[in-house]
Amino acid sequence: MTTKDVVFGALGLLACCSGVLVVTARNVIHAALWLVVTLGALAACYLLLTADFVAWVQVLIYAGAIVVLLLFAAMLTRAPVGPGQDLDSGNRPAAALVAGGVGVTLVTLLVQAFRSAYVDLDRVAGTGAGRPIGDALFRSYVLPFEIASVLLLAALVGAIVLTRPEIGRR
Amino acid sequence: MSTAQSLPALAADFPAPQIAYSALSPMVAVFGAALIGVLVEAFAPRRARAGLQLAVALLGLLGGLLAVGLLAGTREVTAVGAVAVDGPALFVQGTVLALGVAAMLLLAERSLESGGGAIVAQAATVPGSADERALVGTDHLQTEVFPLAMLAIGGMLLFPASNDLLLMFVALEVLSLPLYLMCGLARRRRLLSQEAAVKYFLLGAFSSAFFLYGLALLYGYAGTVSLPGIAAATQVTASNDGLLYTGLGLLTVGLLFKISAVPFHSWTPDVYQGAPTPVTALMATGTKVAAFGALLRVYYVAFGAIRWDWRPLLWVIAIATMAVGALLAITQRDVKRMLAYSSVAHAGFILTGVVAATRAGLAGSLFYLLAYGFTTLAAFGILTLVRDADGEATDLSSWAGLGRRSPMVAGAFAILLLALAGIPLTSGFTGKFAVFSAAADAGAAGLVVVAVVCSAIAAFFYVRVIVLMFFNEPAADGPTVAIPGAFTSAALALGVAVTVVLGVFPSPLLKLADQAALFIR
């Protein structure tokens, strides 16, 4: 067991624990901040796995933009942000059961499937850098990449339709 | 300075991907028209928008149909293996485009509702507010619905032609997201409509997550997301079966949700009921046709070698879907909800063709999809005509005696219902015969027996509506039947004509479906 393994395990534990805190926190803002910790720990895991580009994208997009979006949504709507607001519904035990069951199943499945798989990190160094990902994005997956922009356009048009009353009469 | 020097060098050692745009031309036409529609929305004056939008959309759809016709017979994999243009893909694309033309005409109909049509005047107004009441009778119209519908149709064209799971996922989202939005745009009963949109959005997002997780597991299994690559992996790899079957199962959940098969059907009646009826027509036909195209490709191309593993699963789902759809349709008191459950039952009938896993099964399913699509689209179209003071009168009791007051509309609806029930000399009978005989030949005789019993149960509630329309006294304060405008008339005529013609002369289309029924691998 190398130092890398120990650090990786610690980061994984951090991600799991803060993940649990995201769903158990009594305050929406606290939950969003715990989410930053989870996503940050995951980004550090990616770094250890030599996927540095993915790690920085994770920090920029998820820990940065998405969580900021969540906080803005909580601020701009009448979401219950104060302490003591009851966020739990009566379905809590059932939800915990389903989530636990899914978690156990998937972990068992992945451990079973990749028990004997071994990747030498020194040999794959560089596969997670910007260049190979850019290559894949603009060559093998160029069509899905371009079609995703159509999806964003649909979302933009839809957001305007649902929220913006017609300004002025033409 | 350094970047200026290195850019040409970088460009030199980056070989550009080969994309045959001619093979993608149906998608290019539709997405192009959608983009022009967005520009029209930005620059055209409001008075001119609705007409311009319809013209642009119809041009795009007809251009796409022309492109599909020109591509007939093409068998080509392009865009670095991401898109497969072959017989089934082109057949499904042609069907979706033709259904899209009819749905677009229904969307554009403005004579039924004091100049505005079925789409809300301004989606951003609060339901029940004074603003909303002031707008409901005006000729205002949220014309963005046209480019949104075109984007959804573009996704429907790409979905069955996707040869890799990643593109399939993106196409699934492109076809779903505009539909989620359009569900919330009904002119009347806005709260019901918005509830439908939220419900569809949340459940659809869950089902997409299932699809994505299945995709990830299959990537872990095969090391690739391309369908032929997964097929090759199932033939050589004996280990990691857990990943394969769990991945396949999760992927199937995402696909079954879109075709509204049991047990992933519970959204269907609520969403179909709440959405504006032209949008429901597009969802019930175009989405289902496209999703079946994708389902067939996934099962036949990627998992054809392990068909003995997935056939029993689809057996059970087909039986459950037919039985639940038919039985729950009987209990409905609302025509729109009844048609929604009828579309669930038909998903089960088409699944019997999928279970066959033969060329005949594929050809039968393709024929059935086209026949079902036109019949169902016209049936929803007729729902827009029967109205009372609150908009569409979909309660079953108010349809009593409709045949005496409006024999043309009631007669057309009766023909469509008979086709949905599968009575001979209609397209529904030919379609059912094609999928059932294919399933029986492939050794699924038990399934066919169940399917025939379920067809008989389903016939009961279709015929009940016919009896109600023609042999009951009309209610004193019953609904009126609006005179359809030119657009609705054209869409209904198309649907009824296809239903009758495919029942009387099915052989040319059966032959075409049979020729098309070969996936490129």
Side-chain angles (χ1 to χ4, degrees):
Chain A
M1 190 175 269
T2 61
T3 332
K4 260 187 186 167
D5 293 338
V6 174
V7 176
F8 188 84
L11 285 170
L13 196 67
L14 179 64
C16 286
C17 293
S18 49
V20 170
L21 284 169
V22 171
V23 285
T24 52
R26 296 251 157 216
N27 185 320
V28 181
I29 303 295
H30 292 178
L33 294 176
W34 280 118
L35 193 59
V36 178
V37 179
T38 312
L39 296 171
L42 274 180
C45 288
Y46 295 151
L47 263 186
L48 281 179
L49 295 174
T50 72
D52 32 338
F53 183 76
V54 182
W56 294 124
V57 168
Q58 167 94 359
V59 170
L60 280 175
I61 309 287
Y62 285 87
I66 303 258
V67 173
V68 170
L69 209 62
L70 281 177
L71 291 174
F72 264 101
M75 272 166 54
L76 294 177
T77 58
R78 272 172 251 157
V81 289
Q85 302 262 13
D86 199 10
L87 298 173
D88 300 331
S89 82
N91 298 329
R92 198 177 162 89
L97 199 70
V98 171
V102 170
V104 169
T105 314
L106 288 176
V107 168
T108 321
L109 179 75
L110 290 177
V111 169
Q112 286 279 340
F114 296 108
R115 193 188 332 203
S116 57
Y118 179 78
V119 178
D120 185 357
L121 283 181
D122 294 328
R123 283 184 51 209
V124 299
T127 47
R131 192 181 172 111
I133 289 180
D135 259 7
L137 209 53
F138 289 103
R139 194 177 297 141
S140 319
Y141 301 112
V142 65
L143 196 67
F145 179 74
E146 291 297 334
I147 298 292
S149 62
V150 174
L151 180 63
L152 289 178
L153 176 70
L156 278 175
V157 173
I160 293 171
V161 167
L162 289 186
T163 53
R164 178 180 167 276
E166 185 118 357
I167 299 170
R169 298 271 161 95
R170 271 179 290 162
Chain B
M1 175 106 179
S2 67
T3 49
Q5 282 165 349
S6 58
L7 270 178
L10 274 175
D13 66 35
F14 180 81
Q18 295 292 318
I19 296 177
Y21 286 101
S22 62
L24 301 181
S25 50
M27 277 86 93
V28 173
V30 170
F31 280 129
L35 296 184
I36 294 173
V38 174
L39 291 178
V40 167
E41 210 49 57
F43 294 111
R46 193 162 54 77
R47 291 272 156 220
R49 269 185 224 160
L52 264 178
Q53 288 287 16
L54 177 68
V56 169
L58 287 182
L59 272 180
L61 292 171
L62 293 175
L65 263 180
L66 181 72
V68 167
L70 292 176
L71 284 172
T74 309
R75 289 172 58 76
E76 187 175 351
V77 173
T78 183
V80 208
V83 178
V85 179
D86 53 12
L90 288 171
F91 192 95
V92 169
Q93 288 182 340
T95 309
V96 167
L97 284 165
L99 291 169
V101 170
M104 212 54 87
L105 290 173
L106 289 180
L107 261 183
E109 180 62 66
R110 306 185 69 179
S111 71
L112 297 173
E113 178 94 70
S114 61
I119 299 301
V120 67
Q122 268 198 27
T125 52
V126 179
S129 66
D131 279 351
E132 198 222 351
R133 278 196 297 280
L135 281 168
V136 77
T138 63
D139 65 346
H140 284 233
L141 176 66
Q142 198 85 56
T143 40
E144 284 90 345
V145 74
F146 288 98
L148 284 175
M150 289 300 280
L151 288 170
I153 291 172
M156 290 173 197
L157 299 186
L158 201 55
F159 197 33
S162 309
N163 202 33
D164 89 36
L165 290 175
L166 204 62
L167 182 63
M168 197 174 265
F169 175 71
V170 177
L172 172 69
E173 290 303 300
V174 172
L175 87 83
S176 304
L177 191 85
L179 284 177
Y180 302 148
L181 291 160
M182 285 154 68
C183 281
L185 299 184
R187 194 172 194 88
R188 308 283 185 132
R189 293 175 211 151
R190 295 269 317 278
L191 280 178
L192 199 67
S193 169
Q194 295 188 351
E195 184 196 328
V198 170
K199 202 174 265 183
Y200 193 25
F201 172 62
L202 287 179
L203 291 176
F206 277 129
S207 83
S208 296
F210 276 102
F211 187 97
L212 202 55
Y213 215 108
L215 190 167
L217 291 182
L218 285 172
Y219 181 75
Y221 168 75
T224 171
V225 288
S226 96
L227 298 181
I230 293 171
T234 61
Q235 276 154 358
V236 294
T237 322
S239 59
N240 274 350
D241 276 354
L243 278 185
L244 171 64
Y245 294 126
T246 317
L248 174 59
L250 292 175
L251 202 68
T252 306
V253 171
L255 290 168
L256 290 181
F257 178 86
K258 282 292 158 206
I259 62 168
S260 53
V262 174
F264 310 106
H265 68 290
S266 53
W267 59 277
T268 313
D270 292 350
V271 174
Y272 281 16
Q273 188 183 21
T277 306
V279 175
T280 310
L282 181 63
M283 268 196 297
T285 59
T287 308
K288 194 162 289 206
V289 172
F292 261 108
L295 182 92
L296 284 161
R297 184 178 296 281
V298 165
Y299 275 108
Y300 283 36
V301 174
F303 302 109
I306 56 161
R307 69 172 74 97
W308 301 109
D309 296 314
W310 55 257
R311 277 184 68 181
L313 175 78
L314 282 197
W315 254 73
V316 175
I317 289 174
I319 289 176
T321 307
M322 290 184 286
V324 170
L327 289 175
L328 287 183
I330 292 179
T331 65
Q332 298 307 312
R333 301 295 310 157
D334 183 289
V335 186
K336 214 170 169 185
R337 284 181 82 86
M338 191 201 82
L339 283 178
Y341 277 108
S342 137
S343 91
V344 172
H346 280 279
F349 295 135
I350 306 171
L351 276 176
T352 58
V354 180
V355 167
T358 56
R359 183 165 180 175
L362 177 57
S365 306
L366 290 177
F367 181 90
Y368 198 121
L369 285 170
L370 192 146
Y372 158 83
F374 280 98
T375 310
T376 303
L377 192 115
F380 278 112
I382 284 183
L383 284 192
T384 62
L385 298 179
V386 182
R387 318 183 69 88
D388 57 19
D390 293 331
E392 290 162 15
T394 53
D395 193 74
L396 202 51
S397 60
S398 59
W399 283 54
L402 206 69
R404 310 215 176 157
R405 255 186 281 153
S406 186
M408 276 286 283
V409 169
F413 198 57
I415 291 176
L416 299 170
L417 289 175
L418 289 176
L420 288 173
I423 306 296
L425 289 181
T426 60
S427 61
F429 174 76
T430 323
K432 278 209 174 78
F433 186 80
V435 288
F436 291 174
S437 62
D441 286 344
L447 181 62
V448 173
V449 172
V450 177
V452 171
V453 171
C454 288
S455 307
I457 299 173
F460 169 74
F461 62 80
Y462 294 125
V463 173
R464 186 178 64 181
V465 177
I466 297 176
V467 171
L468 191 74
M469 285 193 303
F470 285 97
F471 301 105
N472 279 35
E473 285 301 321
D477 56 344
T480 55
V481 177
I483 311 290
F487 294 148
T488 306
S489 306
L492 294 183
L494 181 69
V496 175
V498 170
T499 303
V500 174
V501 169
L502 287 187
V504 184
F505 304 110
S507 50
L509 192 78
L510 277 174
K511 206 187 237 172
L512 184 69
D514 190 51
Q515 281 168 359
L518 195 60
F519 281 115
I520 188 168
R521 279 164 214 275

